[in-house]
Amino acid sequence: MSELATAATAGHTERSGSLWADAWRELYRNPVFVVASVVVLIVMSWAVFPTLWTSTGTDGGTCELVDSRLGPSSEHIFGTTFQGCDMYSHVINGARPSIIIAVLVTLATTLIGVALGVIAGFYGGWLDTVLSRITDVFLGLPFLLGALVFLALLGEQNIWTVSAVLVVLSWPPITRIMRGSVIQVKALDYVEAARALGASNMSIIFRHILPNSIAPVIVLATLYLGGFVSAEATLTFLGVGLQIPEISWGITVAQGQDYAIAGYPHLLIFPCAALIITVLAFIVMGDAMRDALDPRGR
Amino acid sequence: MTEPAHATPDRAASAGHGEMVVSVRDAVKHFPITQGIVFQKTIGHVRAVDGVSFDLHRGETLGVVGESGCGKSTLSRVIMGLIPASSGSVNLLGDELVGMRERDLRKVRRNVQIIFQDPYASLDPRMTVGGIVGEPFRIHPDFAPRGDRRGKVQELLEVVGLNPEHINRYPHQFSGGQRQRIGIARALALRPQIIVCDEPVSALDVSVQAQVVNLLERLQEEFDLSYIFVAHDLSVVRHISDRIAVMYLGKIVEIGDETQIYEHPTHPYTQALLSAVPVPDPALRGRREQIVLTGDVPSPANPPSGCRFRTRCFKAQDICAEKEPALVSRDGSVQPSACHFAKELDVIHATR
Amino acid sequence: MGRYVLRRLLQFIPVLLGTMFLLHYLQTVSIQINGNPITALFGDRQPPPQTLAAITTAFGLDDPCLQQTGNPCLGMFLDRMSGYTQGDFGVDFNRQPITRLIADAAPVTVRLTIIAVLFESLVGILAGVVAGIRKNGFADNFIRLSTTLVISVPVFVLGVLVQIGSGLYVGVWLRDNGAPEWLSAAFSVTYQTDHPWASLLVPGVVLGAFSLGFIARLTRTSLIETLRADYVRTARAKGLSRRRVVGIHALRNSLIPVVTYIGIDLGALMGGALVTEGIFNIPGVGGLVFGSVAAGETPVIIAVVTMLTLVFLLASLLVDVLYAVLDPRIRYE
């Protein structure tokens, strides 16, 4: 059939298709992505099953002030904190709040952002105008400053308030991206074809619009995971995030800062390394997904 | 706009066609142009479709030709009720679409389906062929019980000349022509009586065009379909159409059967379009009078007074600016033609 | 063009008011829930009720609506907005006008930001161009890897690590080896008033490092796309040298998104400045916020953040307008 020949010559770029299948094939062949995923899984296991990794329990074990600031040894492989706690145990247990907050906030912002983006993009009209203006207002607050003010004024600082504040400040970009993506997909012929067949709006949204417009949001959400790990640590470091006796990398770094200057670099090196590796793994994953889903950037 | 309706039904009846399935009267679609800094106010309208009337009978094919931007595509959406008409009447198998509620429209719409121009944009890339062709059954579960669907989809694939075993493939695994066949299978699923073909072959290779047109003709016989065939390619339209409507700036300027439009065109615009069709015989090339239209198509937001074609017309006189010519039969024209000076002119045959 | 700018300006006003209101509402709700911040200020040693009432009145926190949880206190908001228009941003707990506190702190932050922006744009664009010209070459892979790494390091982590590295090891070594005073000031642990530029050098680099990664990536992608464009191919076909094509044709067009990014990035820079100034003890605007958060001075936090938000919004507006000037396509949406 001569039509077969035209497939190759047709000027259209072969977009999407079984985009997810293609992307997935490319991802699991990408060694960088595989390594990053393994790192993410390991850090997740620190958060979910810390007892697999350390015998000191989830509270960081007993701390002896006499053991303060010990260097790495066979007993304490990462040394001890300035309160004499086991640093290794702190590094493992510090993953939990970061990961809980990152996952929670990413899920919530994605849900809110996607829902609002679909509403604004699909229905348009005054709903779109109102939603877009509200989005603008929240985007008007610089992220870290906004989070700082919110948390400082809330007065109560724990996993839930930190998560809530991060959600409030980070849904607008997802809404914006989703809205643009939906508007693009809405204009395609296959959506009109579904309308011609008599499909309802809900059916069109769930069958055609969502599957075809969500890819950029998935990429952003993966990058967000790393961003929220970093944001939680930063806010905690600044003193408006999690508070002692919670164990968090931000707290460990803040406490180690002064003593590190006095010649105990291990107080900083281990928690910083854990933080950097975690954020790096998420961002590398997100980048790899972006490349796989949108080959233009390569 | 006076009684084109008088002229058309007779001729259609004489051509041996049956009952009327679509009847459009004075259909108008104006898109508002808004401007404003804080409050958007309407400062004008794009008159995409501006008073169009025609009928379509069972088993008939009406070709609609015109340059891009003349309102062909909007007209096809208005007929389907996908874009609500601003005014006028669109009667589909006895149901009046203008003013109908969306919910009811959805039910009526299953009788009229559409085939799109771009076979790459008209199929959801995330669905398998089975999902795409079976979607109509999912939306109207009463049409085919769940257990039957796979069989029905494979049947449809066979009807349009595709391998039924490819039911689990994705659109990107097919060529442009094959994709168009998938789109046709989807349009056929609900056994519609009318199919709007919106430039169905324009995006395809010439060799494939003929195959798809032949398929459409075969299906018309088999399922007693009525087509509205929108295109800008005059030769494809001639091949498939029983009657042809020529559109310019949102209006039909001439309507008639195949011989009338192609052998005896009377409207200067039709003549200009036909004179641009290439002459197949190289020896005769250049021996035919060619009418080259000057200038651009005027903006549909601000069409010329009187006759809309007068700014580019080689026959234009003062009256053309003052009085809008009605789409009626005149002395010089058997078929309805919207020109004060409608007169036959042989533009298609080159002579020695 | 004028029309676009006008519309953008008019859209700016509701956003501005909305953001201001958001901050205002946050404060009222916090007071309604947590009680009078003045009380919290004194801790265990509460002054007599009359004094407390007088101080509360002085800060404009005596409005009865603050007793009703959920009340948006629109009257207070209007008073506040009219105060803002007259340049009155309130006073801190020492009766210092907040505008003066900011005026004292701003020059330091501006200097820090200038260093950061210079650093991130110079190094970032250079790295992006090197990577973009030889796509998938060694330099490209190296730059892609290192930018990812830089993006992944939270500013505060980089800050504390650099502070120790530069302040402790490099700084001490420089001083011991008789380096000039400004050079050792540049590598000191804290800000030094005698060296207003040199001692901000390292904090500025820390601040700029985060955005550096994004700028390099953006330049690279943008340059690669432009180099693929037909007009660049035409320029090559005309026989222009590669250097000229990249320098004159491609780079100019691919820098448009980069310039926009630098403008939009101001929000991230402000957040980063807060962290950096906190770590390096720099008496800038960030240090002011840092200090007032620690002291619980809510009026100061709100006023400073409001001002910074204003600057941020104005900068975004400016960038949008600038973008419209640079890229005519944007004007017709």
Side-chain angles (χ1 to χ4, degrees):
Chain A
M1 200 177 249
S2 66
E3 289 175 25
L4 285 175
T6 59
T9 52
H12 293 264
T13 44
E14 206 59 72
R15 226 195 83 73
S16 29
S18 53
L19 186 113
W20 291 107
D22 286 350
W24 179 239
R25 201 171 317 122
E26 198 184 312
L27 283 177
Y28 75 74
R29 281 185 193 153
N30 179 353
V32 179
F33 178 80
V34 172
V35 171
S37 319
V38 170
V39 172
V40 164
L41 284 176
I42 291 176
V43 176
M44 292 264 188
S45 74
W46 293 357
V48 185
F49 310 109
T51 44
L52 281 183
W53 296 86
T54 162
S55 54
T56 52
T58 51
D59 56 354
T62 48
C63 308
E64 301 289 345
L65 271 178
V66 283
D67 291 339
S68 177
R69 288 166 280 155
L70 290 180
S73 65
S74 60
E75 198 185 342
H76 302 287
I77 56 163
F78 288 175
T80 58
T81 68
F82 94 111
Q83 284 166 322
C85 309
D86 182 37
M87 179 61 89
Y88 172 73
S89 166
H90 267 231
V91 167
I92 299 290
N93 283 300
R96 195 174 48 252
S98 291
I99 296 293
I100 291 179
I101 289 177
V103 171
L104 210 66
V105 177
T106 305
L107 283 179
T109 42
T110 310
L111 263 170
I112 297 173
V114 166
L116 293 180
V118 167
I119 292 172
F122 188 79
Y123 293 99
W126 64 268
L127 244 168
D128 181 26
T129 314
V130 170
L131 279 174
S132 295
R133 286 294 90 78
I134 295 177
T135 314
D136 285 347
V137 166
F138 278 86
L139 277 175
L141 280 177
F143 182 78
L144 200 57
L145 274 183
L148 187 89
V149 179
F150 273 52
L151 283 168
L153 292 184
L154 268 172
E156 184 108 351
Q157 288 132 0
N158 53 44
I159 288 189
W160 308 111
T161 52
V162 171
S163 302
V165 166
L166 291 178
V167 170
V168 166
L169 288 170
S170 43
W171 61 267
I174 294 208
T175 304
R176 252 199 197 174
I177 287 182
M178 195 65 197
R179 174 179 172 272
S181 189
V182 167
I183 287 176
Q184 222 172 0
V185 173
K186 193 178 80 167
L188 291 174
D189 285 348
Y190 58 80
V191 173
E192 194 156 39
R195 283 223 293 143
L197 291 168
S200 63
N201 283 341
M202 276 300 135
S203 154
I204 289 175
I205 288 174
F206 282 103
R207 285 251 149 194
H208 300 288
I209 305 265
L210 270 181
N212 284 293
S213 57
I214 202 138
V217 169
I218 300 281
V219 171
L220 189 64
T222 316
L223 294 171
Y224 260 22
L225 280 168
F228 291 136
V229 168
S230 164
E232 180 274 320
T234 306
L235 291 169
T236 302
F237 174 81
L238 291 176
V240 290
L242 303 181
Q243 308 290 327
I244 302 171
E246 200 84 56
I247 297 175
S248 156
W249 293 333
I251 295 176
T252 314
V253 174
Q255 287 181 337
Q257 188 194 2
D258 296 334
Y259 293 95
I261 295 178
Y264 300 94
H266 75 274
L267 292 179
L268 279 186
I269 287 170
F270 295 112
C272 286
L275 188 52
I276 292 172
I277 288 169
T278 308
V279 179
L280 183 66
F282 278 121
I283 287 185
V284 166
M285 263 178 90
D287 275 352
M289 279 171 71
R290 193 209 314 266
D291 285 352
L293 287 168
D294 177 18
R296 271 184 324 145
R298 264 173 284 161
Chain B
M1 276 291 70
T2 39
E3 45 285 292
H6 283 309
T8 37
D10 309 353
R11 195 161 303 102
S14 67
H17 286 298
E19 57 175 308
M20 201 148 77
V21 288
V22 177
S23 165
V24 178
R25 288 291 170 275
D26 276 331
V28 171
K29 180 62 204 178
H30 288 178
F31 294 104
I33 312 168
T34 54
Q35 196 181 52
I37 291 164
V38 183
F39 300 104
Q40 302 278 310
K41 63 170 185 275
T42 306
I43 53 159
H45 286 96
V46 171
R47 305 173 178 201
V49 174
D50 202 10
V52 167
S53 306
F54 65 85
D55 296 319
L56 181 70
H57 300 85
R58 186 171 301 283
E60 187 191 27
T61 301
L62 175 71
V64 179
V65 289
E67 290 166 289
S68 38
C70 71
K72 297 172 296 192
S73 284
T74 310
L75 179 64
S76 59
R77 303 297 193 277
V78 165
I79 295 164
M80 299 195 64
L82 281 173
I83 297 177
S86 311
S87 68
S89 148
V90 177
N91 194 302
L92 200 85
L93 296 161
D95 290 312
E96 176 58 53
L97 296 191
V98 179
M100 194 184 261
R101 286 184 310 165
E102 179 66 28
R103 179 189 293 268
D104 300 323
L105 265 177
R106 254 182 239 149
K107 290 197 192 100
V108 177
R109 237 183 244 146
R110 69 153 78 170
N111 289 318
V112 41
Q113 286 300 312
I114 184 165
I115 299 170
F116 292 94
Q117 170 176 11
D118 182 355
Y120 289 85
S122 60
L123 306 179
D124 188 334
R126 303 243 190 291
M127 289 169 86
T128 60
V129 172
I132 292 168
V133 179
E135 191 177 14
F137 302 136
R138 196 184 49 73
I139 296 166
H140 301 279
D142 51 312
F143 209 87
R146 192 172 278 271
D148 277 9
R149 281 183 201 165
R150 197 183 159 83
K152 285 228 172 198
V153 168
Q154 287 182 321
E155 211 174 281
L156 280 166
L157 291 180
E158 214 157 359
V159 165
V160 297
L162 289 171
N163 186 344
E165 276 158 30
H166 291 170
I167 188 165
N168 287 325
R169 292 200 176 176
Y170 285 91
H172 73 278
Q173 292 167 296
F174 293 90
S175 70
Q178 289 174 320
R179 283 165 160 242
Q180 203 57 296
R181 287 169 192 262
I182 299 171
I184 294 171
R186 172 178 60 190
L188 281 178
L190 297 175
R191 293 278 180 271
Q193 306 186 34
I194 305 142
I195 292 186
V196 174
C197 308
D198 186 8
E199 310 222 20
V201 297
S202 306
L204 303 178
D205 272 14
V206 179
S207 57
V208 184
Q209 284 187 0
Q211 296 174 6
V212 172
V213 169
N214 289 341
L215 171 68
L216 287 172
E217 285 194 316
R218 205 191 79 216
L219 295 173
Q220 182 164 38
E221 298 266 306
E222 212 171 315
F223 298 104
D224 200 16
L225 294 165
S226 310
Y227 286 151
I228 289 176
F229 195 98
V230 176
H232 59 256
D233 184 330
L234 288 160
S235 34
V236 172
V237 172
R238 178 175 199 178
H239 181 79
I240 196 167
S241 305
D242 302 308
R243 282 188 306 136
I244 292 115
V246 181
M247 275 188 83
Y248 186 79
L249 271 186
K251 280 186 183 294
I252 293 180
V253 294
E254 188 167 9
I255 185 166
D257 63 28
E258 187 225 314
T259 1
Q260 288 167 340
I261 297 291
Y262 283 86
E263 301 292 332
H264 310 285
T266 63
H267 195 284
Y269 181 60
T270 317
Q271 291 160 356
L273 284 183
L274 285 171
S275 82
V277 174
V279 181
D281 183 350
L284 297 177
R285 189 167 294 159
R287 288 172 177 272
R288 175 179 70 165
E289 186 189 349
Q290 226 183 1
I291 305 165
V292 180
L293 292 182
T294 51
D296 291 324
V297 184
S299 158
N302 186 19
S305 65
C307 172
R308 298 191 169 189
F309 185 58
R310 69 176 165 85
T311 52
R312 302 168 76 196
C313 183
F314 55 93
K315 280 184 179 173
Q317 312 261 330
D318 288 346
I319 184 181
C320 299
E322 291 150 18
K323 193 160 175 284
E324 186 177 341
L327 182 65
V328 287
S329 304
R330 288 165 217 272
D331 290 345
S333 161
V334 186
Q335 68 271 26
S337 174
C339 177
H340 294 301
F341 308 103
K343 193 172 186 327
E344 193 182 318
L345 179 70
D346 187 6
V347 287
I348 206 154
H349 300 103
T351 42
R352 281 170 205 275
Chain C
M1 178 72 215
R3 208 174 192 95
Y4 172 81
V5 173
L6 198 64
R7 198 174 67 224
R8 191 65 193 67
L9 266 171
L10 284 170
Q11 274 178 0
F12 172 73
I13 292 170
V15 171
L16 185 76
L17 285 175
T19 314
M20 300 288 110
F21 180 74
L22 196 67
L23 286 169
H24 160 81
Y25 191 54
L26 198 67
Q27 192 190 11
T28 57
V29 169
S30 128
I31 293 175
Q32 284 156 359
I33 292 174
N34 298 331
N36 191 342
I38 315 287
T39 327
L41 196 67
F42 286 100
D44 294 335
R45 285 174 294 168
Q46 289 293 324
Q50 298 93 318
T51 324
L52 197 65
I55 299 176
T56 309
T57 314
F59 287 101
L61 297 176
D62 54 346
D63 201 299
C65 77
L66 289 173
Q67 311 295 327
Q68 301 151 351
T69 309
N71 189 326
C73 294
L74 288 174
M76 262 180 87
F77 179 61
L78 290 179
D79 287 350
R80 178 171 287 182
M81 292 318 286
S82 72
Y84 286 172
T85 53
Q86 290 152 22
D88 175 14
F89 279 74
V91 292
D92 76 346
F93 287 158
N94 296 321
R95 302 286 172 90
Q96 296 268 9
I98 291 169
T99 37
R100 199 162 87 222
L101 294 179
I102 293 177
D104 289 345
V108 184
T109 305
V110 169
R111 281 200 299 275
L112 181 70
T113 316
I114 289 174
I115 294 172
V117 170
L118 279 180
F119 171 71
E120 67 182 31
S121 43
L122 285 181
V123 179
I125 290 173
L126 192 72
V129 170
V130 169
I133 290 177
R134 299 235 178 277
K135 195 180 143 199
N136 291 333
F138 171 76
D140 182 25
N141 284 323
F142 176 76
I143 286 169
R144 271 163 68 190
L145 203 77
S146 49
T147 50
T148 314
L149 191 67
V150 165
I151 289 171
S152 307
V153 181
V155 180
F156 81 95
V157 171
L158 189 66
V160 294
L161 292 180
V162 166
Q163 187 185 33
I164 290 172
S166 85
L168 216 56
Y169 300 107
V170 184
V172 169
W173 182 85
L174 282 172
R175 226 163 298 140
D176 292 350
N177 287 277
E181 203 185 326
W182 65 267
L183 194 63
S184 42
F187 291 95
S188 77
V189 181
T190 55
Y191 177 72
Q192 297 183 353
T193 340
D194 297 340
H195 300 278
W197 286 95
S199 65
L200 287 178
L201 217 57
V202 171
V205 167
V206 168
L207 178 56
F210 180 72
S211 306
L212 172 93
F214 285 105
I215 289 176
R217 283 171 164 211
L218 198 59
T219 313
R220 172 182 177 272
T221 327
S222 179
L223 186 64
I224 288 173
E225 290 218 336
T226 328
L227 284 177
R228 256 189 233 145
D230 283 341
Y231 69 90
V232 169
R233 218 175 298 155
T234 312
R236 285 288 282 162
K238 276 198 305 193
L240 293 187
S241 72
R242 190 181 167 82
R243 175 182 297 242
R244 199 174 157 77
V245 171
V246 173
I248 306 286
H249 293 263
L251 199 57
R252 239 194 357 208
N253 279 298
S254 40
L255 280 186
I256 293 178
V258 179
V259 171
T260 329
Y261 176 80
I262 294 175
I264 292 171
D265 192 45
L266 202 65
L269 271 180
M270 284 174 176
L274 188 95
V275 178
T276 323
E277 292 184 1
I279 290 171
F280 289 91
N281 280 322
I282 298 165
V285 180
L288 193 62
V289 177
F290 210 82
S292 39
V293 167
E297 289 194 72
T298 37
V300 184
I301 308 178
I302 290 286
V304 175
V305 171
T306 304
M307 259 194 180
L308 289 178
T309 306
L310 258 169
V311 173
F312 173 60
L313 285 173
L314 279 170
S316 323
L317 177 73
L318 208 68
V319 166
D320 271 12
V321 173
L322 202 69
Y323 199 17
V325 175
L326 289 175
D327 190 344
R329 281 169 303 181
I330 198 84
R331 284 172 233 161
Y332 311 99
E333 294 164 39

